[in-house]
Amino acid sequence: MQQPIKSRVLSEIETSQYIGMSRSFLRQARMEGNRDNRTPAPPFIKIGRSVRYIKEDLDKWLESFVRQSHLYQDGRSA
């Protein structure tokens, strides 16, 4: 019995499901690049005309948004 191949690269559809963002976000982020007051685009690669996302890069991108503490745990009040 063969083991299923666990892909290192993801398509746009797979990426949108993996990171929980829409395909339109991915497309717009690719076209416009990083802009002020917008979520930065995840890194991507192009193989011919195909756009692919490397899973390890997506994990690092997601980790960059992790907050270390709750907003109100730093001793300041709102």
Side-chain angles (χ1 to χ4, degrees), residues 50-61:
S50 300
V51 175
R52 295 291 181 258
Y53 296 84
I54 299 173
K55 202 171 201 178
E56 291 84 14
D57 290 345
L58 293 174
D59 290 336
K60 289 176 189 173
W61 181 80

Side-chain angles (χ1 to χ4, degrees), residues 6-63:
K6 294 184 180 178
S7 181
R8 182 175 176 232
V9 296
L10 303 175
S11 68
E12 184 181 82
I13 294 170
E14 294 167 326
T15 298
S16 70
Q17 293 169 345
Y18 187 73
I19 67 172
M21 301 289 277
S22 68
R23 290 175 68 193
S24 63
F25 162 77
L26 293 172
R27 288 180 186 145
Q28 188 173 22
R30 279 196 316 268
M31 297 297 177
E32 296 179 359
N34 294 337
R35 297 175 62 194
D36 291 339
N37 299 322
R38 299 260 177 123
T39 302
F44 66 94
I45 60 173
K46 286 198 74 167
I47 303 170
R49 294 173 56 183
S50 300
V51 175
R52 295 291 181 258
Y53 296 84
I54 299 173
K55 202 171 201 178
E56 291 84 14
D57 290 345
L58 293 174
D59 290 336
K60 289 176 189 173
W61 181 80
L62 287 169
E63 288 172 11

